[in-house]
Amino acid sequence: MPVIPPEKLAALQHNAHEVRNICILAHVDHGKTSLTDALIATNGIISPKLAGKIRYLDSRPDEQLRGITMESSAISLFFSMLRRASPEAAPQQKDYLINLIDSPGHIDFSSEVSTASRLCDGAVVLVDAVEGVCSQTVTVLRQTWIEHLKPVLVINKIDRLITELKMSSGEAYTHLAKLLEQVNAVIGSFFQGERMEDDLQWRERVEERVAAAAAREQEKAERKETGSSGTPAAEDAIGDATFSSHGDFEEKDDEELYFAPENNNVIFSSAVDGWAFTVRQFAALYEKRLGIKRSILEKVLWGDFYLDPKTKRILASKHLKGRSLKPMFVQLVLDNVWAVYEATAGGNKGKGDPAMVEKITKSLSLTIPPHVLRSRDPRALLTTVFGAWLPLSTALLVSVIEYLPAPPAAQSARLPGLIDASPGADHVDRAIRDAMVNFKASKNDPIVAYVSKMVAIPASQLPENKRKGGSALSAEEAREMAQKKRAEVAKAQAATENTTSHSLNGTISALASTVLDDDDENRRDLNPEEYIDAEHLIGFARLYSGTLSVGDSVYVLPPKFSPAYPYANLKPQKVTITSLYLLMGRGLEVLTSVPAGVIFGIGGLEGHVLKTATLCSQLEGSVNLAGISMGNQPIVRVALEPVVPSDLEKMVAGMRLLEQSDPCAQYEVLENGEHVILTAGELHLERCLKDLRERFARCEIQAGEPIVPYRESIVQALEMAPPKDKDLPRGTVIGITSSKQMTVRLRVQPIPEPITQFLEKSTIAIRRLYAEKKAVLGTEDDRGEEALDTDGSEITAKQPHYQQLSLSDFKRDLQSALMEVEEQREFWSKAIENIAGFGPRRTGPNLLIDETKAGACQKFLQEVEDSSQGGIGNSSDSLGPRDFSDKISYAFQLATLQGPLCNEPVQGIAVFLEDVTVAAPSDDESSAREKLGRLTGEVIKTVRDSIRLGFLDWSPRLLLAMYSCEIQASTEVLGRVYGVITRRRGHILSESLKEGTPFFTILSVLPVAESFGFTDEIRTRTSGAASPQLIFQGFEMLDEDPFWVPFTEEELEDLGELADKENVAKRYMDRVRMRKGLAVKGKKIIRDAEKQKTLKR
């Protein structure tokens, strides 16, 4: 097929009903990029013979080397087909534009899946016919559910059932039916979870209405007793009507959610062999042969339906009467596919059967070129036969066009929910909402676009820097073009100057810029290659309403923007669009304007967008779509430094550019001055380092040891050291400031596990409640600031129930979590009422509980009116406990942010503030309130050290960051996989054999600290037969005291005084303390000092 010119693709963008925006999602190595190659070949971009081999959208060298996709990339494809307006009408040719996004399947790059799914209206989900539903398959299905994408299921690699597993067609049908049930079971679990949440919310609404009705009845009875007249009967009638209209629980039909071949949303394919089919295709093929209507055949070709060979009638399973007939799908579909494989690549030692091939081609009316029939390569004949009979592109693209919605229909269904879930949804302008939902695409309509990520493109690859033939400009041509552009900018600036003073200023600035340009010219002369290959950031965007043209000015709304406070803190910047691009995989094509409903590239946002943003033509009443959930949060941190110290500025600039262009990578500078990059995993880290060295920083960079997060906690163990103060309960500490003016008595105690888990889930709700409380007690600026802090991108779809909890709801849920506590339930129930704060960072799973008689700290779970009655602090000169409430709270935050073991965050402890005593000053030279500033540091240090001492009075524990590891391996390498997992301190959770295959699925957990090099070791030990998928699943306690030493007679006898048994917790703790420069006890500085050698010897 000839190459489609970009002008034709750009023209198709304006016909929104013939546009489809789809993304391809799957587990790693399930065939996404190979499938995409087959679609690209239909547009003449690559040869059909290279489809599945060239991996066109994997444009990075490391992607080609590893054979996996690391970055999502988009391409626009043209497809033409005949369609009938009605069954009686003649078919007419229609042209369609398919905007296709190929996404990665590796768990380290799941953030790329999140960014791609928001831009699309439908999804093509691939599942390997042999491996079945894997961990990332569930993840991408959940992503389609969250984003309300309409999915199409492709069961890929069916050829493996024939060539590897040697299944018969009947066995393959049973296997495919079970696989389809597994996928539908995942969809069903999502539906069930949503219905349970809807049911909970419905019950809460019913209870509220019942309570309101009871209150009205009570008020009516009180009026009758007092004898008052004028009962508001109209209000009662309205309340009763509202209750009756909303009282019934609405049931939802889930039939349309599931995948079923008869619904045309299941495709059977083999991307590597270039074929695919749907049930509808075979229904059209057998309609004339069997004399059965196509609509009936579509319903019975899949399922327990059988064809009577004598009567040509369709029978259900109950009418078989003992006869052994094949299901229609096996008899009419799979047997034919199996026959083609047998004729082309089977029999006669894999050389095929030419007579059978001739018979098949005649029966199917296929024309095969003579040179292919004479070819000695069986695969060439196989792909040619299938390409003529069941071309992959036809089956897939026809299903996409017929089943997946066009942008107008998709936006009317998806966007109301997305807008309602956006920050400050109540303040969104009706005109913007109407333009987005009703798909208004004229120049006068509001412009709303969503930028999902920024893509780094070398300057030499931009269309404006290429000749018409496609080759890059030389250094001289690039300099000449730059001079012309600077001259044009200078003319434009001069044209805008009106007054004489402005003209003078413009002349001065022009002279200054001329001098700078000359210097810049000389610099480019010295290193022209570096100038040509400088990285430019292009936005990866989708337009939802209006028409965007080059030169338009739009506001860039950051992820934490809220239309409720549009001018809070920094006002969003207004930028001018400098360029628009048609995304064509490895290349870009220039556009002048883009209509709504199109995926495109956008220039001019460099320096204005960090990762994601929303573009809007107006500021007040705008909508923020940038708060999306990243599938995998960065967990691996590595400190970087340049090999040559003078390259530090280059490295910092490169890391900032990397942070903008990578959806998941984060850059931060630690307190000790280390430059740290956060990545999702080991493979992601490797890619980021490669990009830094070769593209962004362009200098040699060395990476330190990976910085793995830990957590610190305490437990009540059976064998604990006696309390440090025998006169006080365990964990109780009395702290006295150095000036003896303040005494604090507090008690540290472990929190029950159910409460800790609830607090971990409720971080967003706690942050929101804290912001609301501060907004009421503080100023208007505080309210705006906190709104930005709480309404941003941190709100994910994983915690829908905890996003909008009121204070009473939070207390109720906390009390219900307390019901799971078996011991000391009453004690904790009373303590919850006195909660004064959470930590660290005011949202963590640690509690500050105020049990002082005077109430030294504010109660967090009291209503604002109640907590503010007494005021804060005293008006007199004397100091009281409440004057130090913020200092005590700050010390609690510090103590829980950096624990005593190795300065890692603490979780699962409660600090009970029992007494705060402030002594009168001994001298009368100055008032006590004037000394408050000096006491501040003393109080913070004393309270922090007291909490740490109380922490160490219990049995301390380290919590390790853990990966959930899923491995598929055959029986031959099972023992080797177990050996590698055990050696790295992992443990097996389950092992299951996939029915009908020789593969086992092994689920295990592995410490993140032991995971570096794990993937390479597994592949090496199994000769590439197994590959793990590592997903961060949280923290798990290592049940070992890092300070444990043998002290009983039995332990001393078995282990000796030096404790020959290695203390793993102490090893982890010492490793972190050494990295942070903290003192390490028991560290040997010199080994074998008597064995020193001179250089000569």
Side-chain angles (χ1 to χ4, degrees):
M1 183 177 179
V3 179
I4 307 299
E7 295 78 12
K8 188 171 185 179
L9 297 176
L12 289 173
Q13 291 180 344
H14 296 275
N15 194 352
H17 292 280
E18 273 70 50
V19 175
R20 300 292 185 271
N21 299 316
I22 63 171
C23 55
I24 299 185
L25 311 175
H27 188 77
V28 65
D29 287 335
H30 278 201
K32 298 180 298 300
T33 309
S34 300
L35 185 80
T36 308
D37 274 359
L39 303 182
I40 294 174
T42 61
N43 278 225
I45 299 174
I46 62 174
S47 169
K49 295 180 180 179
L50 298 177
K53 302 174 185 177
I54 195 171
R55 302 175 64 86
Y56 181 77
L57 291 185
D58 287 351
S59 55
R60 296 172 55 96
D62 47 357
E63 288 179 325
Q64 293 286 345
L65 183 64
R66 288 183 173 270
I68 62 172
T69 304
M70 297 184 184
E71 289 183 351
S72 57
S73 48
I75 192 168
S76 296
L77 301 176
F78 168 81
F79 184 69
S80 180
M81 62 179 291
L82 295 175
R83 299 200 69 178
R84 298 176 186 268
S86 62
E88 297 79 15
Q92 294 180 351
Q93 184 172 350
K94 281 196 172 184
D95 296 339
Y96 292 89
L97 177 67
I98 311 293
N99 293 318
L100 176 72
I101 301 180
D102 181 27
S103 63
H106 197 281
I107 187 63
D108 281 9
F109 309 108
S110 57
S111 57
E112 296 275 354
V113 178
S114 304
T115 58
S117 59
R118 176 61 65 92
L119 302 179
C120 298
D121 303 319
V124 177
V125 181
L126 270 72
V127 178
D128 192 318
V130 175
E131 295 183 4
V133 178
C134 299
S135 58
Q136 196 67 1
T137 309
V138 179
T139 303
V140 299
L141 286 172
R142 183 183 292 112
Q143 192 69 35
T144 62
W145 181 269
I146 293 170
E147 295 290 344
H148 303 287
L149 300 179
K150 200 169 185 180
V152 168
L153 178 66
V154 177
I155 301 178
N156 194 27
K157 299 189 179 182
I158 294 182
D159 59 290
R160 294 182 66 188
L161 303 179
I162 306 172
T163 57
E164 290 183 22
L165 302 185
K166 308 295 182 183
M167 286 186 177
S168 65
S169 56
E171 293 170 342
Y173 169 71
T174 305
H175 179 81
L176 294 174
K178 291 180 179 179
L179 176 58
L180 196 58
E181 289 177 3
Q182 293 174 7
V183 178
N184 284 331
V186 175
I187 298 293
S189 65
F190 300 153
F191 178 76
Q192 184 180 5
E194 187 179 87
R195 297 305 291 156
M196 291 177 65
E197 186 177 349
D198 292 344
D199 180 62
L200 176 62
Q201 294 176 357
W202 173 76
R203 292 180 186 277
E204 292 176 353
R205 290 196 298 268
V206 169
E207 290 174 1
E208 291 175 359
R209 294 190 184 101
V210 169
R216 285 198 301 270
E217 292 294 333
Q218 185 177 359
E219 187 179 353
K220 189 186 299 183
E222 290 175 356
R223 286 199 191 97
K224 288 183 179 179
E225 290 177 1
T226 55
S228 60
S229 59
T231 303
E235 294 182 6
D236 293 344
I238 293 173
D240 295 339
T242 304
F243 180 80
S244 61
S245 61
H246 296 280
D248 297 334
F249 182 67
E250 296 181 3
E251 292 292 344
K252 291 184 179 178
D253 185 16
D254 60 343
E255 185 178 355
E256 296 295 326
L257 300 176
Y258 298 114
F259 297 108
E262 59 269 20
N263 292 341
N264 199 34
N265 59 0
V266 178
I267 302 171
F268 305 91
S269 79
S270 170
V272 70
D273 290 338
W275 61 266
F277 66 86
T278 60
V279 166
R280 179 171 293 186
Q281 279 181 271
F282 276 91
L285 183 65
Y286 285 108
E287 181 181 11
K288 295 181 179 179
R289 292 190 182 184
L290 299 178
I292 303 174
K293 289 184 179 180
R294 178 176 175 178
S295 58
I296 297 176
L297 278 176
E298 289 177 6
K299 296 178 181 178
V300 299
L301 265 180
W302 176 267
D304 292 332
F305 297 99
Y306 304 85
L307 182 65
D308 191 335
K310 296 181 180 179
T311 61
K312 301 295 183 181
R313 293 181 60 187
I314 299 172
L315 305 176
S317 56
K318 60 183 179 180
H319 298 300
L320 288 179
K321 298 179 180 179
R323 289 186 293 177
S324 58
L325 297 178
K326 293 181 180 180
M328 291 183 65
F329 190 76
V330 176
Q331 181 182 358
L332 302 180
V333 180
L334 293 186
D335 279 350
N336 294 323
V337 175
W338 259 243
V340 174
Y341 272 92
E342 180 66 23
T344 55
N348 193 16
K349 298 180 181 181
K351 296 181 180 179
D353 186 354
M356 194 172 179
V357 170
E358 185 180 358
K359 183 179 179 181
I360 290 173
T361 54
K362 284 184 179 180
S363 62
L364 296 175
S365 301
L366 303 179
T367 303
I368 307 297
H371 71 276
V372 176
L373 292 173
R374 294 193 302 267
S375 174
R376 295 183 179 181
D377 184 10
R379 288 196 55 80
L381 180 59
L382 174 70
T383 55
T384 305
V385 172
F386 273 121
W389 179 34
L390 300 173
L392 186 149
S393 58
T394 302
L396 182 60
L397 294 180
V398 168
S399 297
V400 164
I401 290 170
E402 292 183 348
Y403 185 75
L404 298 185
Q411 289 189 193
S412 62
R414 289 181 63 210
L415 289 187
L418 291 179
I419 296 174
D420 292 339
S422 65
D426 296 336
H427 297 82
V428 176
D429 191 355
R430 288 187 177 180
I432 289 183
R433 177 188 286 266
D434 181 60
M436 295 175 66
V437 174
N438 295 327
F439 196 80
K440 295 183 177 180
S442 69
K443 289 285 289 184
N444 300 324
D445 291 316
I447 296 173
V448 178
Y450 170 64
V451 181
S452 68
K453 68 171 184 174
M454 302 295 288
V455 183
I457 304 292
S460 59
Q461 299 298 321
L462 294 176
E464 52 265 30
N465 293 339
K466 288 185 176 183
R467 297 188 185 93
K468 292 184 178 180
S471 59
L473 298 178
S474 64
E476 292 77 9
E477 291 172 335
R479 284 196 296 271
E480 185 179 352
M481 179 176 290
Q483 289 175 357
K484 290 181 180 179
K485 288 187 176 180
R486 286 195 297 274
E488 291 175 1
V489 171
K491 288 180 181 179
Q493 289 178 348
T496 57
E497 304 294 343
N498 297 323
T499 62
T500 307
S501 60
H502 286 175
S503 299
L504 180 61
N505 292 335
T507 304
I508 295 172
S509 62
L511 290 172
S513 64
T514 304
V515 176
L516 291 174
D517 286 346
D518 290 340
D519 294 339
D520 197 29
E521 189 76 25
N522 295 330
R523 180 175 60 83
R524 288 172 187 162
D525 282 336
L526 293 175
N527 197 352
E529 289 82 5
E530 197 165 308
Y531 162 67
I532 294 174
D533 290 335
E535 298 289 337
H536 290 261
L537 293 179
I538 304 298
F540 199 48
R542 159 79 183 265
L543 190 63
Y544 287 101
S545 65
T547 298
L548 186 64
S549 302
V550 175
D552 288 349
S553 296
V554 291
Y555 287 98
V556 178
L557 311 181
K560 292 187 177 182
F561 173 82
S562 174
Y565 310 100
Y567 299 101
N569 290 338
L570 294 176
K571 180 182 176 181
Q573 298 176 331
K574 196 169 187 179
V575 259
T576 301
I577 305 303
T578 59
S579 53
L580 297 172
Y581 300 104
L582 178 68
L583 302 173
M584 292 299 294
R586 301 184 182 185
L588 301 172
E589 298 293 340
V590 177
L591 298 174
T592 55
S593 65
V594 171
V598 171
I599 298 172
F600 63 100
I602 181 170
L605 303 180
E606 190 168 353
H608 302 284
V609 175
L610 179 59
K611 292 183 182 297
T612 64
T614 306
L615 307 181
C616 196
S617 55
Q618 66 185 60
L619 186 59
E620 295 183 358
S622 54
V623 61
N624 180 13
L625 300 174
I628 67 170
S629 167
M630 294 301 171
N632 201 19
Q633 296 299 324
I635 186 67
V636 178
R637 298 191 299 171
V638 174
L640 305 180
E641 62 178 2
V643 175
V644 181
S646 60
D647 290 336
L648 180 61
E649 291 186 4
K650 282 186 179 180
M651 189 192 76
V652 172
M655 293 178 76
R656 286 175 178 161
L657 194 60
L658 174 68
E659 185 183 23
Q660 293 181 60
S661 62
D662 194 299
C664 189
Q666 296 180 12
Y667 163 60
E668 62 182 25
V669 181
L670 301 184
E671 295 177 356
N672 58 5
E674 284 186 310
H675 298 270
V676 172
I677 184 172
L678 285 80
T679 60
E682 191 176 4
L683 183 59
H684 187 211
L685 171 64
E686 185 179 334
R687 192 197 77 178
C688 290
L689 291 177
K690 180 179 176 64
D691 285 347
L692 269 177
R693 293 180 179 128
E694 298 179 1
R695 299 177 59 189
F696 300 135
R698 297 177 185 243
C699 63
E700 286 299 319
I701 296 173
Q702 58 185 10
E705 289 290 326
I707 304 173
V708 179
Y710 293 86
R711 295 290 183 268
E712 301 178 20
S713 188
I714 53 177
V715 295
Q716 186 173 2
L718 295 176
E719 298 179 358
M720 286 192 296
K724 292 183 173 55
D725 193 336
K726 298 181 180 179
D727 299 331
L728 297 174
R730 183 178 293 277
T732 303
V733 179
I734 299 177
I736 304 175
T737 59
S738 56
S739 62
K740 313 295 184 183
Q741 282 190 257
M742 181 174 171
T743 303
V744 178
R745 175 179 172 137
L746 54 85
R747 185 177 78 257
V748 179
Q749 194 167 333
I751 298 177
E753 186 64 24
I755 300 180
T756 305
Q757 293 177 356
F758 172 78
L759 295 177
E760 287 178 340
K761 294 177 182 177
S762 309
T763 53
I764 296 172
I766 295 172
R767 184 181 292 112
R768 190 181 292 274
L769 291 174
Y770 179 81
E772 291 174 357
K773 186 179 287 288
K774 185 176 179 181
V776 174
L777 295 175
T779 62
E780 290 293 325
D781 294 337
D782 288 336
R783 182 166 72 249
E785 180 180 352
E786 289 301 324
L788 290 177
D789 288 341
T790 57
D791 286 341
S793 60
E794 296 174 351
I795 300 177
T796 65
K798 295 181 181 179
Q799 301 176 340
H801 178 58
Y802 297 104
Q803 288 183 13
Q804 301 174 352
L805 285 180
S806 64
L807 191 61
S808 58
D809 293 337
F810 180 80
K811 290 172 66 175
R812 184 197 65 225
D813 290 351
L814 186 55
Q815 291 287 353
S816 62
L818 188 62
M819 297 304 293
E820 302 178 19
V821 179
E822 298 179 357
E823 299 178 358
Q824 297 183 323
R825 185 178 299 169
E826 295 183 2
F827 166 77
W828 286 105
S829 180
K830 294 178 181 178
I832 283 174
E833 296 296 329
N834 297 322
I835 291 177
F838 303 87
R841 298 184 179 92
R842 300 192 184 97
T843 60
N846 303 289
L847 299 176
L848 175 63
I849 299 174
D850 183 13
E851 290 189 342
T852 58
K853 295 180 181 179
C857 300
Q858 297 181 28
K859 302 295 190 296
F860 183 84
L861 295 183
Q862 286 185 1
E863 297 295 336
V864 176
E865 295 81 13
D866 297 335
S867 62
S868 59
Q869 282 177 358
I872 300 175
N874 302 319
S875 58
S876 63
D877 290 339
S878 62
L879 293 177
R882 299 210 70 176
D883 290 301
F884 298 96
S885 63
D886 55 338
K887 286 76 177 174
I888 294 173
S889 176
Y890 183 67
F892 168 72
Q893 301 295 333
L894 289 179
T896 53
L897 183 62
Q898 295 183 338
L901 298 184
C902 49
N903 280 8
E904 290 291 320
V906 177
Q907 78 174 38
I909 71 167
V911 178
F912 292 84
L913 193 64
E914 295 183 345
D915 187 33
V916 179
T917 305
V918 182
S922 57
D923 54 341
D924 298 332
E925 295 179 2
S926 59
S927 64
R929 189 161 294 280
E930 291 177 355
K931 294 187 176 182
L932 182 61
R934 180 173 60 83
L935 278 175
T936 296
E938 294 182 13
V939 171
I940 292 174
K941 182 177 183 299
T942 302
V943 175
R944 184 196 64 186
D945 294 345
S946 300
I947 294 175
R948 289 187 169 189
L949 289 174
F951 182 99
L952 295 175
D953 211 8
W954 296 84
S955 183
R957 293 289 187 271
L958 273 180
L959 281 83
L960 308 182
M962 302 297 288
Y963 275 138
S964 172
C965 176
E966 179 183 293
I967 303 176
Q968 285 199 350
S970 59
T971 314
E972 293 80 8
V973 298
L974 211 55
R976 300 174 191 174
V977 171
Y978 277 23
V980 176
I981 293 175
T982 307
R983 190 162 54 252
R984 291 178 174 264
R985 301 193 58 80
H987 51 273
I988 308 297
L989 298 179
S990 66
E991 171 197 309
S992 59
L993 176 66
K994 279 191 174 293
E995 190 174 351
T997 70
F999 296 102
F1000 284 85
T1001 300
I1002 305 164
L1003 293 179
S1004 61
V1005 289
L1006 185 76
V1008 175
E1010 305 287 349
S1011 66
F1012 301 101
F1014 173 71
T1015 303
D1016 292 338
E1017 185 178 359
I1018 283 284
R1019 287 176 176 167
T1020 303
R1021 296 280 296 168
T1022 61
S1023 301
S1027 181
Q1029 282 278 297
L1030 300 176
I1031 305 173
F1032 178 69
Q1033 71 163 16
F1035 292 87
E1036 183 177 299
M1037 183 175 291
L1038 178 61
D1039 195 12
E1040 192 171 357
D1041 190 341
F1043 300 114
W1044 179 86
V1045 290
F1047 61 91
T1048 64
E1049 292 184 2
E1050 294 179 356
E1051 291 172 347
L1052 288 172
E1053 183 178 352
D1054 292 340
L1055 302 174
E1057 294 183 0
L1058 298 178
D1060 294 336
K1061 179 184 176 183
E1062 183 190 19
N1063 190 329
V1064 180
K1066 187 176 187 305
R1067 172 161 62 86
Y1068 286 138
M1069 182 185 72
D1070 290 346
R1071 186 188 300 172
V1072 178
R1073 292 184 70 88
M1074 287 180 62
R1075 176 174 57 79
K1076 294 185 176 182
L1078 304 175
V1080 179
K1081 294 182 180 180
K1083 179 185 177 183
K1084 292 184 178 181
I1085 306 299
I1086 300 175
R1087 289 185 180 180
D1088 302 329
E1090 70 278 2
K1091 294 183 180 180
Q1092 294 181 1
K1093 296 180 180 180
T1094 63
L1095 290 175
K1096 292 182 179 180
R1097 296 181 183 178

